[in-house]
Structures are given as structure tokens and as C-alpha cells.
Amino acid sequence: MKTKVQFLDLGKQPITNNFLIKKNPKNEFFYSLKLIFHKGSKLVSLAKFVPPKKMFNERYAHRASASKTMSLAYSKLAKSIKKRFKPKSILEIGSNDGVFIKHFKKIKNLGVEPCKNLASITKQAGLKTYDEFWTQKIAKKIVNQNGKVDVIYSANTISHIHNLNETFKAIDYTLHENGVFILEDPSLVEVLKNKSYDQFYDEHAYVFSISALKNITKETGLKMFDIEKLKTHGGSNRIYFKKTSNKKIRVSKVVSDHLIKEKKLGINKIKVYKDFSKEVKNSKKKLIKIFENLKKNKEKIIGYGATYKSSTVLNYCNLNNKYIDYFLDTTPTKIGKFTPGTHIPIFKYKKISDDIRYVFLGAWNFKDEIFKKEKKFIKRGGKFISHVPYPKII
Ligand code: TYD
């Protein structure tokens, strides 16, 4: 019997983080983006992982503090962690530019960040940062130098790490006996609900369901005891774990509620993924049609937010510079470059110019923030194109 089933092929895809300096570079790297369901663990993952050093290096473009919504969310979370767990030490795996960990200056705060350009930002700000990948080896080094840690936090990072068994074992090793591990990652239930197939790209080796996480962490000494649903990244879960050896764990009812809901949705069976695959293929056809109809009418279309997610959509649907004139984006490391694979120029965000009536919403996860900001554009009849939950003009 097959232990893995492939359910979707999203075609040839570039490294989402590889924003190009030149429009048509020689030797741009592409890989085959296929998705599989693991029958045993119930995990959903890429069929073949991309080598980490191709993605997480000194050119890494994403700046967590670039979004006001996210900065605010991290500051709120820091307050809540201090109140709820009163940690004396905290470690963040994937500390990016320090947007979260900087809120813990009064206690021992540590960062792990393999992208050297980002690690140097937090090092300069005085944070002890280990500029390496999260492994058992680095966990040993951290514990040797700092002792065990009270809280480990990791947002949008664990789903990037290929070897989950080692990852969770290293977390268990690093945690203090009464310690708490908090994991935050996009939710598979939300992906299925929103048909947001763009959550799948090179970096997202996995998109987690609660059921799959429960299955794989129980082998590694961690037990989930609470879950919060978040709006970030188009729908995420914040999951709280303690060490299984901790005999005082009270598991919230929320955990079983999630598991029951997932079972009802059929998340542990292949059928739900095969249905999703059909819907994604339809979504592609509809989105291409929207663009082609607008182009027939000689409309100029631009993109808003050159997200990693949009890279999957643009490459899967072959929406290149013929369809989208340029992207507007606020991230300095993307500005002046070209989108990977589809080679659309990215310009520094400014007011949407008056000759534009249609804007593709690359950053659909910030729809509310963007619609608020672009009231004038909407008032003058400007429209957004979004593929989530199905392709439409808003
Ligand atoms: P992000 O949410 O990190 O998505 P992904 O992980 O898929 O890349 O990226 C959001 C991008 O959108 C980022 O490059 C900044 C950009 N952006 C704007 O240009 N203007 C805005 O108002 C917002 C909210 C985001």
C-alpha cells in the first residue's frame, strides 16, 4: 500500500524569495511543486523539498516588521506571554528582524535566525542571535551557554523545516521542565476553506492540520494543550505545547474541538485533497479568464503586494508581465527588482495612479488593511482582483 498520495501539481516554480535584479536572468532555478498527503501521519507536504540554503540565505527579503498589522500583533502577543507564563527566558526560532523578540529586553532573550542579513540586524540591536539553522546541535549549544529555556516561540518557521522529528526533539530538549513551546503557522483547514493554494511554495514544506501536528509531536515529548485561531497569513493557528513529562498539563477543550472539526471535514482522508485539487484547477481557469477579458478591453492591470504566496499563483497561472504591468510593494528589499519566474517589475509603493482601474491583490491576507488605505481608489471606481476564496473582481 502506498504511504503517500500526490494530489496536486502546481507546475514549475521559482524560489519565491529570489527577487531578480535583472528581468531575464540566465539560469533561474525552478523546481517542481507537487503536493502529497502522508497516510500515516496525516501530514500534507511538498513532494520534494528545496535545499534550505537556496531559500534561507543572506539575500532573504521578508521583513517581519514591514507590516503594521503584524508588528502590532507581535507586541500584543509579547504582553500576553509575559502575563500568562511569566518567563525568565525566551527563545525565538526564526527571529527575522526581531519584531517579536525585541519586546523581551528585561529577561534573557535569544534568537535563532539562519539568514545572516536578518541575524545581523538583531545582533546590532543587542540581541544574542545564533545565525544558524535550528537543529539538535544548535539546541545543545544554546542550552550549554544559557541553560534551559522557559518559553520557545516560533512563527511561520517550523513549517519551513524539513526534518520535523529532529526539530521537535530539539525543542523538547531545550525547554525547561515547566516550559512552554508556542508554534504559529498557517492552518490547513483555512487553506482548504479559502482554496488558498498559494500557501504552498518552496518555503512551506508543510501546511499543518492540528491532527497531523498531534500525531508527529507525540513521538517527540511534546503535548499540545491550547490553540488560538488567528487571522494572520490568511488564517493561522497558534498552538501551545508543554513537555509530555510535565504531569500538570491541563488540556483545553479547544484542542478536542479542533480535532473533531477536522475529522468532520475529512482532513485525515485523501478525498478532501482530491476535491481541493479540482477546485484549484477551476480557480486557475477562472483567474486566467478574468485577466484575459480585461486585457481584451485594453485595461492596464497592476499588482499590490509582491508576496511569496502570489508567486505560486502567478507562476501556476502563467500571469507574467503581459498581464500585470508592475507590482507596488513597501518592502525595500523587493523594490526595484522583478518577481521570480514571471519577471514583473516591483515599484516602491505610492498612490495608485489615476490611469489604473484594476489591481491584483497579491497581499490578499492584508485585504482589510489595504482596502482601508485605498479608500480613494475604491471611491473612484477602482477594483481589486482576488483569487481567494474564488477568482473575482471586488
Ligand atoms: P506577507 O504577508 O509576508 O506574505 P508572504 O509571506 O506571502 O510574502 O507579504 C506582504 C507583502 O505585501 C509585503 O511585501 C509587503 C506588502 N504590502 C504592501 O506593499 N502594502 C501594504 O499595505 C501591505 C499590508 C503589504
Side-chain angles (χ1 to χ4, degrees):
M1 202 180 73
K2 272 198 213 158
T3 55
K4 299 172 193 171
V5 188
Q6 184 182 311
F7 61 91
L8 184 59
D9 183 348
L10 292 167
K12 293 275 170 236
Q13 294 281 347
I15 299 291
T16 45
N17 177 45
N18 189 19
F19 292 90
L20 306 164
I21 294 166
K22 278 208 283 189
K23 190 167 171 138
N24 290 308
K26 278 187 208 148
N27 308 327
E28 189 177 5
F29 176 83
F30 285 86
Y31 71 98
S32 207
L33 178 54
K34 292 179 181 159
L35 307 181
I36 54 175
F37 172 66
H38 298 250
K39 283 186 174 170
S41 63
K42 315 298 179 200
L43 269 170
V44 166
S45 76
L46 306 193
K48 204 168 169 228
F49 297 138
V50 173
K53 282 192 180 148
K54 281 206 181 286
M55 304 180 278
F56 309 112
N57 50 41
E58 65 294 343
R59 296 185 305 279
Y60 198 73
H62 176 75
R63 295 283 178 280
S65 54
S67 146
K68 263 197 215 154
T69 313
M70 292 305 288
S71 295
L72 203 68
Y74 285 124
S75 138
K76 263 189 170 168
L77 173 65
K79 273 193 199 133
S80 136
I81 290 176
K82 283 179 204 169
K83 206 169 152 202
R84 187 169 175 190
F85 303 115
K86 302 181 180 59
K88 293 194 187 70
S89 56
I90 185 159
L91 163 75
E92 185 177 12
I93 304 172
S95 47
N96 198 275
D97 58 6
V99 67
F100 167 77
I101 198 81
K102 71 176 181 196
H103 295 287
F104 292 88
K105 289 201 178 106
K106 288 192 184 148
I107 62 169
K108 188 187 276 263
N109 59 351
L110 309 164
V112 175
E113 177 50 68
C115 303
K116 304 245 188 291
N117 57 335
L118 297 172
S120 78
I121 299 174
T122 48
K123 277 184 191 176
Q124 270 167 28
L127 174 80
K128 188 159 180 189
T129 313
Y130 294 83
D131 54 4
E132 288 171 62
F133 286 99
W134 177 252
T135 56
Q136 277 176 322
K137 195 171 153 208
I138 189 74
K140 280 205 177 109
K141 185 166 157 188
I142 289 172
V143 171
N144 275 343
Q145 292 181 356
N146 309 279
K148 301 256 177 180
V149 176
D150 291 337
V151 169
I152 300 181
Y153 175 69
S154 189
N156 304 304
T157 301
I158 302 299
S159 60
H160 298 183
I161 308 179
H162 301 165
N163 188 342
L164 291 178
N165 197 9
E166 172 171 7
T167 298
F168 289 123
K169 277 190 177 155
I171 288 168
D172 174 44
Y173 172 81
T174 309
L175 266 190
H176 190 270
E177 203 40 46
N178 301 317
V180 176
F181 165 50
I182 309 166
L183 173 155
E184 207 171 298
D185 265 305
S187 149
L188 185 61
V189 169
E190 293 300 313
V191 169
L192 297 178
K193 202 168 91 192
N194 292 323
K195 327 287 175 258
S196 46
Y197 62 91
D198 52 350
Q199 284 292 9
F200 294 103
Y201 53 86
D202 53 348
E203 292 183 13
H204 287 179
Y206 303 93
V207 176
F208 294 128
S209 66
I210 301 296
S211 313
L213 270 178
K214 187 165 182 260
N215 290 339
I216 47 173
T217 51
K218 78 171 175 239
E219 317 269 308
T220 59
L222 295 168
K223 182 172 171 137
M224 63 175 75
F225 67 94
D226 200 6
I227 303 168
E228 286 163 22
K229 275 177 79 167
L230 309 172
K231 288 199 172 139
T232 46
H233 288 284
S236 301
N237 287 314
R238 180 178 292 144
I239 307 163
Y240 294 78
F241 296 85
K242 283 187 183 170
K243 285 163 86 87
T244 318
S245 53
N246 181 337
K247 295 294 167 230
K248 285 182 273 176
I249 307 177
R250 270 193 48 223
V251 180
S252 160
K253 185 177 165 292
V254 178
V255 173
S256 55
D257 290 348
H258 272 268
L259 294 169
I260 293 166
K261 187 178 159 201
E262 289 189 353
K263 201 169 172 200
K264 275 193 187 149
L265 274 171
I267 215 144
N268 294 332
K269 301 219 169 94
I270 183 65
K271 182 177 180 307
V272 84
Y273 303 101
K274 293 210 162 141
D275 292 346
F276 174 71
S277 171
K278 275 185 213 147
E279 284 161 343
V280 171
K281 285 174 197 155
N282 266 332
S283 174
K284 173 179 179 169
K285 277 189 210 146
K286 282 191 188 146
L287 188 64
I288 294 175
K289 196 151 197 184
I290 288 177
F291 273 88
E292 282 185 341
N293 284 341
L294 291 175
K295 280 290 155 196
K296 255 188 233 153
N297 295 335
K298 306 260 177 304
E299 289 288 353
K300 209 167 156 182
I301 309 167
I302 66 161
Y304 198 115
T307 55
Y308 292 0
K309 289 189 286 297
S310 66
S311 180
T312 296
V313 180
L314 301 177
N315 284 284
Y316 178 53
C317 301
N318 299 314
L319 295 170
N320 53 22
N321 207 188
K322 246 176 43 197
Y323 295 92
I324 299 177
D325 281 47
Y326 56 87
F327 262 89
L328 293 177
D329 201 289
T330 50
T331 308
T333 41
K334 296 180 185 174
I335 295 164
K337 296 187 180 160
F338 297 86
T339 57
T342 45
H343 307 171
I344 302 165
I346 305 165
F347 298 149
K348 185 174 174 173
Y349 172 75
K350 59 179 182 328
K351 182 183 148 271
I352 301 171
S353 80
D354 291 339
D355 59 327
I356 306 293
R357 287 207 300 154
Y358 292 92
V359 174
F360 172 65
L361 200 53
W364 60 267
N365 49 317
F366 289 113
K367 186 171 154 232
D368 294 347
E369 185 175 333
I370 293 169
F371 277 30
K372 239 189 237 164
K373 211 158 100 184
E374 301 305 336
K375 268 191 196 137
K376 281 192 183 151
F377 169 71
I378 296 170
K379 214 168 163 198
R380 71 160 165 88
K383 301 280 182 203
F384 284 95
I385 306 166
S386 179
H387 68 290
V388 173
Y390 53 88
K392 62 179 169 192
I393 295 175
I394 316 168

